[in-house]
Amino acid sequence: MTRTLSIAIAALAGLAAPLSASAQTDGPGLTKGEQELAELLEGRAPGEPVNCLTRRGNTERMNVIDGTALVFGRGDTIYVNIPDHPRTLDDSDIVVTKSYSTRLCRTDIVNTIDRTAGFYTGNILLNEFVPYTRVD
């Protein structure tokens, strides 16, 4: 059994598709997280969604965008996963993924742990991973 511990960092905002309307807004329109994600995706084009990511090179770096999405990878292509209930994402939590293969898939178990107190705070239900590639 492989157990990977990934520490989450902040960065978020909605760009391509409307995200969770139930998330807290920071002024009219987009939430703070959606605004952060939009900035992160600026200059990138979405690709065909995939169900799994190869752990090596794709999941070694993960950012949690508070109340919005998980972002994997770095460089020219990054992958965005907007879970079923994105408002439960907290950029101060530690994200723990449990996988039985060399890939992270939408069916894998993902838990969150409070960074300060160290207690379990919930589960994350992943969706497809959408690649965003830098355009010239």
Side-chain angles (χ1 to χ4, degrees), residues 20-134:
S20 173
S22 60
Q24 296 244 340
T25 59
D26 186 22
L30 302 176
T31 66
K32 181 180 177 186
E34 291 169 342
Q35 291 169 1
E36 289 178 41
L37 182 58
E39 291 171 14
L40 181 66
L41 297 179
E42 191 171 317
R44 295 177 182 270
E48 195 67 34
V50 296
N51 285 321
C52 299
L53 294 179
T54 304
R55 284 191 179 272
R56 182 176 209 127
N58 290 320
T59 64
E60 292 165 350
R61 179 175 164 100
M62 179 183 61
N63 292 332
V64 174
I65 298 180
D66 203 25
T68 306
L70 296 171
V71 179
F72 298 88
R74 60 177 171 233
D76 287 340
T77 302
I78 59 174
Y79 293 84
V80 176
N81 190 297
I82 300 173
D84 282 348
H85 303 286
R87 68 185 171 277
T88 62
L89 290 174
D90 187 338
D91 61 1
S92 66
D93 281 346
I94 297 171
V95 176
V96 179
T97 61
K98 296 176 187 175
S99 179
Y100 300 96
S101 73
T102 59
R103 302 181 312 161
L104 176 64
C105 296
R106 64 182 290 175
T107 57
D108 287 341
I109 299 167
V110 181
N111 304 118
T112 55
I113 307 292
D114 181 90
R115 182 180 307 277
T116 306
F119 59 84
Y120 166 84
T121 57
N123 295 322
I124 297 172
L125 302 174
L126 298 175
N127 283 310
E128 292 178 318
F129 299 88
V130 180
Y132 284 85
T133 304
R134 200 177 311 274

